[in-house]
Amino acid sequence: MIKFFRKIRQNLLSEGKTGKYLKYAIGEIILVVIGILIALQINSWNDERLNSVKEYTFLNELSKSIESDIVYFQKQDSIRTAYESNSDKALLMFYDAKNYNDLLLVDSLFTFQWGDWEISRSVYEEMLNTGSLYTLKNDKLKDKIANYYTLIESRVYALKKINDVSIKLSENTVLYQLELLRNSNGAYNGKLKDAWIGDPNSSEFMSLYKFYRFTNSNCNTYRRMFGAQILKRGNELLEELNNELNLSK
């Protein structure tokens, strides 16, 4: 093709047709420019197609991850409901306790500490690391994704602080001291005073009561409330993700 155009130019020059040569040269330049623009447009279309495929893949994987979170928090909500019920019963039993054995039964109904939430962040982290989150076309969806994981981070931090306070409070209770005795010699030796049991005026009674009350209203109730917030936000995000995926099909 190049040789063909070159031959035409040479013939025009040899025939002295300078004006036609210039017009032809300009036309040839225009054709080259148009060819380059078409090639760039095709390349742009191809890049856009690949980016759309990549975005769809990420959003599809993120949708599955959020679905897993929702199932997890639904189960956790049922568990927390049972723990709250047990804690309420334990507080009532605490007032009627007569000895250490009664208190140990009360103690067994409480859940003082919670493990970390089992939330997968792998897809979200990959979207952050590759910059894919910031190139999403749907700004509303982008904000919902960021807000969902920001909410989780803030609630995890808050629960850690609550757990830290719970641990400090537990160290001031006689049952904590009893547990230390058990760990040191394998059995309760019966030498701990128990006159304070059932006496709201005693410091031992009040320290244990405050610990139980804090545990019931914070470690259990707040965790359930935080989980409900994340569950609500997760359902909203999942709906937005599914809408976007359906539009992209």
Side-chain angles (χ1 to χ4, degrees), residues 5-141:
F5 287 135
R6 185 183 298 163
K7 186 176 181 181
I8 293 176
R9 290 197 303 272
Q10 289 174 347
N11 289 338
L12 290 172
L13 285 174
S14 63
E15 294 174 3
K17 299 178 180 178
T18 307
K20 289 185 176 181
Y21 173 80
L22 290 174
K23 291 179 181 178
Y24 176 81
I26 293 173
E28 187 175 330
I29 292 172
I30 292 173
L31 286 175
V32 171
V33 171
I34 291 173
I36 292 173
L37 290 175
I38 292 174
L40 289 174
Q41 185 61 49
I42 292 173
N43 187 58
S44 177
W45 286 338
N46 190 49
D47 287 344
E48 186 175 343
R49 182 184 63 82
L50 292 175
N51 288 335
S52 295
V53 171
K54 183 180 179 182
E55 179 176 303
Y56 183 89
T57 301
F58 269 126
L59 293 183
N60 190 47
E61 291 302 314
L62 187 62
S63 175
K64 294 177 182 177
S65 180
I66 301 301
E67 284 180 348
S68 178
D69 288 348
I70 289 172
V71 171
Y72 172 75
F73 277 104
Q74 286 173 337
K75 291 180 179 178
Q76 287 293 303
D77 188 65
S78 297
I79 294 172
R80 285 190 294 274
T81 300
Y83 281 146
E84 279 190 70
S85 177
N86 285 342
S87 296
D88 289 338
K89 293 175 184 176
L91 277 174
L92 295 175
M93 292 169 59
F94 174 70
Y95 285 102
D96 296 328
K98 299 295 189 297
N99 51 51
Y100 275 107
N101 287 332
D102 291 343
L103 288 179
L104 293 177
L105 179 59
V106 170
D107 208 57
S108 68
L109 293 175
F110 275 97
T111 303
F112 304 125
Q113 300 297 316
W114 291 80
D116 294 334
W117 277 325
E118 297 175 9
I119 302 171
S120 174
R121 293 171 53 94
S122 58
V123 179
Y124 175 66
E125 294 291 348
E126 188 174 357
M127 291 181 72
L128 284 177
N129 294 334
T130 60
S132 299
L133 177 64
Y134 310 108
T135 58
L136 291 178
K137 302 182 187 72
N138 188 330
D139 290 333
K140 181 180 178 182
L141 177 59

Side-chain angles (χ1 to χ4, degrees), residues 196-225:
W196 63 271
I197 298 176
D199 179 11
N201 295 318
S202 68
S203 60
E204 293 93 339
F205 182 96
M206 288 308 300
S207 66
L208 191 55
Y209 173 77
K210 288 178 181 178
F211 169 59
Y212 285 151
R213 174 61 70 182
F214 180 88
T215 298
N216 189 45
S217 63
N218 290 280
C219 293
N220 291 334
T221 304
Y222 273 120
R223 190 176 181 92
R224 186 182 181 198
M225 181 180 70

